[in-house]
Amino acid sequence: MAEKEVTLMKGNEAIAHAAIRCGCDGYFGYPITPQSEVLETLAAEKPWETTGMVVLQAESEVASINMVYGGAASGKKVMTSSSSPGISLMQEGISYMAGAELPALIVNVSRGGPGLGTIQPSQADYFQTVKGGGHGDYRLITLAPASVQEMADFVDLAFELAFRYRNPAMILSDGAIGQMMEKVVLPPFKPRRTEEEIAKECPWATTGRIGMRKPNIITSLELRSEEMEQNNLRIQAKYRIIEKEEVRYEDYMTEDAEYLIVAFGSAARIAKKVIAIAREQGIKVGLLRPITLWPFPYERIGQLGKQVKGILSLEINAGQMVEDIRLAVNCSVPVEWYGRLGGIIPEPEEVVDQIKKMLI
Amino acid sequence: MTHEIIISGFGGQGVLSMGKILAYSGLMEDKEVTWMPAYGPEQRGGTANVTVIVSDEPVSSPILSSYDTAIVLNQPSLEKFESKVKPGGTLIYDGYGINTPPTRKDIDVYRIDAMDKAAEMNMIKVFNMIVLGGFLKVHPIVSIEGVLKALRKTLPERHHHLIPMNEEAIRLGMEIIRKM
């Protein structure tokens, strides 16, 4: 596939192509709907014959995430992908990676839960992703793509952030973005880093003790409480920097907005249609789309809270992000939630009706 | 121009691939396109539908409550989507799959006997392209050249000898569609 070519593909396929192109060293995963095309596309593309990227179907999600841990510990650019129940299985590994300060990419193309749930789209993994699905005081850098193009673009960005802060990063998508096909321009090819480059860029990694340097130990275990508190404080200080530096969001028709929708991912796409319909009826609605779910755009939503008469949190779940929006506006304006559950996606007209009912 | 289309029928009728070819044809003509399948546990004979949006502007919601055109290939699809055609919109149905025809008077209804014609002419494999031809006769949102370009692009080389048959099917569909 030539560079800069506009093509049509599914969000899941875009993830796979982008991974190969951004110099990913390894993918470890286990199939699950609605994200199986990630592994399928990688298997079809055979990157091990071209870039040398390893692609492995592990025996389970637990195995996948621990393979990612191992690859990341040696400074490699490694990733996995799964969908909600599979991501739940990975939570221990994700917490360990956050504790051991390892960079990696985890893609969640989420589906309706709880439990085995349904294979249809859902955003019900918001809490799990941004409030810590695993144990301990940790955070996941979380990017929420709203298009196939962003599925492609966020792979490289997620790796970049993960390595900059030595922390796992997640792309939180859903079955709608994963399964739909749209135009996409794939990122340019970047070579995989050489062993020397990895040793230089990741001096913490277990790359072999060249020149008898001090051994690097990758672990989240520290039995001395005083030391463990210091580890936690160091990690927390890093999180404060991420919260300051890495907030990303999209403002859409907010300049003159009297009402605001806050929505991410596929819900934000629906919101844009809602805004078009509402504005035809003379209701000035705007959208604030968090692109990073953590760090969350509290400050920008707080500013908009002073401008608008009401906020609707449009989520394809039972109302999870609504809590963060309320924190952001600190009760200065009513914040309502609307969404559908179990794999049903709200339709634009029904959301317009809800805005009229709840906010106006 | 934005055209929002739902194509719905039985699994195995080529609903998803027809949508894909339409979307790809839009891409070939520099339009914005979105192809959103109602995915599920796929099986032959199960239900299948796909939303295709072809536009001159960036596409907002891939999930819609109403459509400019509904192409329905069986009775359950007609029952589900007749009411979701926008007033003044278009409904195209295949006569073979529909026992109770649509009743709405505020939309343009077209019938295409694609299944019968395909069986008659031994063209069952390109049934969906006959339907696509019918749609493009009513709404020429992409050109036949665009469709053929898309086929050349999406079909593996070993299947390129089938492209003339696809073109024939599109042209046949354009001939046999009729307004009700």
Side-chain angles (χ1 to χ4, degrees), chain A residues 11-264:
Chain A
N12 290 335
E13 295 165 343
I15 291 270
H17 285 286
I20 299 169
R21 283 167 174 253
C22 79
C24 181
D25 295 305
Y27 171 95
F28 309 92
Y30 188 80
I32 179 172
T33 305
Q35 67 77 53
S36 295
E37 292 87 353
V38 179
L39 179 53
E40 283 169 15
T41 306
L42 286 169
E45 289 294 312
K46 299 190 176 74
W48 55 90
E49 290 179 0
T50 51
T51 70
M53 175 185 174
V54 172
V55 178
L56 187 73
Q57 178 174 330
E59 67 268 36
S60 70
E61 289 85 350
V62 175
S64 309
I65 197 70
N66 285 294
M67 288 173 183
V68 169
Y69 184 111
S74 58
K76 300 283 186 186
K77 228 183 219 188
V78 286
M79 67 181 289
T80 184
S81 67
S82 189
S83 180
S84 310
I87 296 290
S88 291
L89 287 167
M90 293 181 183
Q91 291 303 325
E92 181 196 45
I94 294 172
S95 168
Y96 275 44
M97 275 195 284
E101 295 188 83
L102 291 176
L105 168 60
I106 302 131
V107 180
N108 181 0
V109 183
S110 63
R111 56 190 242 183
L116 214 42
T118 169
I119 59 174
Q120 303 301 328
S122 163
Q123 298 183 318
D125 297 353
Y126 179 87
F127 278 156
Q128 186 194 53
T129 311
V130 304
K131 308 290 178 190
H135 58 281
D137 276 316
Y138 80 93
R139 296 290 195 171
L140 268 185
I141 299 167
T142 306
L143 298 166
S147 64
V148 174
Q149 185 64 57
E150 284 189 342
M151 287 285 254
D153 294 344
F154 287 180
V155 171
D156 192 41
L157 175 61
F159 272 124
E160 196 191 308
L161 293 172
F163 275 86
R164 189 183 305 161
Y165 296 103
R166 280 187 63 188
N167 200 70
M170 179 171 276
I171 292 179
L172 179 62
S173 175
D174 63 56
I177 302 287
Q179 289 295 324
M180 76 179 179
M181 287 202 291
E182 286 187 316
K183 272 163 85 161
V184 59
V185 178
L186 292 171
F189 271 105
K190 253 194 332 204
R192 286 174 52 233
R193 292 166 308 156
T194 61
E195 297 296 333
E196 292 73 30
E197 283 167 336
I198 291 173
K200 199 164 157 246
E201 286 168 27
C202 308
W204 47 266
T206 51
T207 47
R209 289 179 63 202
I210 304 153
M212 294 306 283
R213 64 158 162 74
K214 212 171 133 249
N216 283 337
I217 298 167
I218 305 284
T219 182
S220 60
L221 177 71
E222 177 50 74
L223 294 175
R224 294 164 297 179
S225 293
E226 290 76 11
E227 293 296 324
M228 194 58 202
E229 185 180 42
Q230 288 310 312
N231 289 350
N232 267 280
L233 289 173
R234 189 181 69 250
I235 292 171
Q236 290 301 319
K238 177 172 84 178
Y239 291 162
R240 297 297 88 75
I241 295 170
I242 298 172
E243 285 166 347
K244 198 161 155 269
E245 303 289 337
E246 305 298 347
V247 175
R248 287 166 168 80
Y249 56 83
E250 178 195 1
D251 265 283
Y252 180 77
M253 303 189 91
T254 50
E255 302 83 10
D256 62 342
E258 293 176 1
Y259 300 93
L260 183 72
I261 299 174
V262 181
F264 68 92

Side-chain angles (χ1 to χ4, degrees), chain A residues 228-336:
Chain A
M228 194 58 202
E229 185 180 42
Q230 288 310 312
N231 289 350
N232 267 280
L233 289 173
R234 189 181 69 250
I235 292 171
Q236 290 301 319
K238 177 172 84 178
Y239 291 162
R240 297 297 88 75
I241 295 170
I242 298 172
E243 285 166 347
K244 198 161 155 269
E245 303 289 337
E246 305 298 347
V247 175
R248 287 166 168 80
Y249 56 83
E250 178 195 1
D251 265 283
Y252 180 77
M253 303 189 91
T254 50
E255 302 83 10
D256 62 342
E258 293 176 1
Y259 300 93
L260 183 72
I261 299 174
V262 181
F264 68 92
S266 53
R269 295 287 294 270
I270 298 164
K272 288 187 178 177
K273 185 94 183 173
V274 170
I275 289 167
I277 300 169
R279 282 184 176 254
E280 269 173 30
Q281 300 174 15
I283 309 164
K284 287 183 182 165
V285 187
L287 167 70
L288 189 287
R289 173 171 78 94
I291 293 172
T292 48
L293 298 182
W294 187 83
F296 191 74
Y298 288 107
E299 199 180 322
R300 180 63 187 140
I301 293 173
Q303 288 165 355
L304 287 166
K306 296 193 180 92
Q307 173 190 324
V308 299
K309 295 176 198 164
I311 298 178
L312 181 76
S313 180
L314 178 63
E315 303 173 64
I316 311 176
N317 60 37
Q320 300 186 14
M321 183 175 64
V322 65
E323 295 181 5
D324 284 316
I325 301 166
R326 285 184 181 141
L327 269 178
V329 301
N330 201 13
C331 301
S332 65
V333 62
V335 180
E336 302 291 346

Side-chain angles (χ1 to χ4, degrees), chain B residues 5-19:
Chain B
I5 306 145
I6 181 87
I7 310 169
S8 182
F10 287 128
Q13 280 183 311
V15 164
L16 296 183
S17 58
M18 175 181 161

Side-chain angles (χ1 to χ4, degrees), chain B residues 57-131:
Chain B
E57 290 145 40
V59 176
S60 56
S61 177
I63 311 296
L64 301 168
S65 18
S66 57
Y67 305 90
D68 297 305
T69 295
I71 300 172
V72 294
L73 304 178
N74 63 15
Q75 194 67 36
S77 301
L78 176 69
E79 280 156 22
K80 189 165 178 192
F81 292 112
E82 181 180 359
S83 62
K84 296 195 166 184
V85 178
K86 293 177 194 168
T90 304
L91 188 140
I92 298 171
Y93 71 97
D94 178 64
Y96 179 82
I98 306 291
N99 311 315
T100 319
T103 53
R104 274 178 70 181
K105 300 284 174 240
D106 62 333
I107 56 175
D108 292 326
V109 176
Y110 291 83
R111 172 174 171 152
I112 182 163
D113 289 325
M115 188 58 89
D116 287 344
K117 200 74 186 172
E120 181 192 319
M121 299 188 65
N122 202 17
M123 290 173 76
I124 288 289
K125 278 187 179 163
V126 286
F127 156 75
N128 59 348
M129 299 302 284
I130 301 178
V131 178

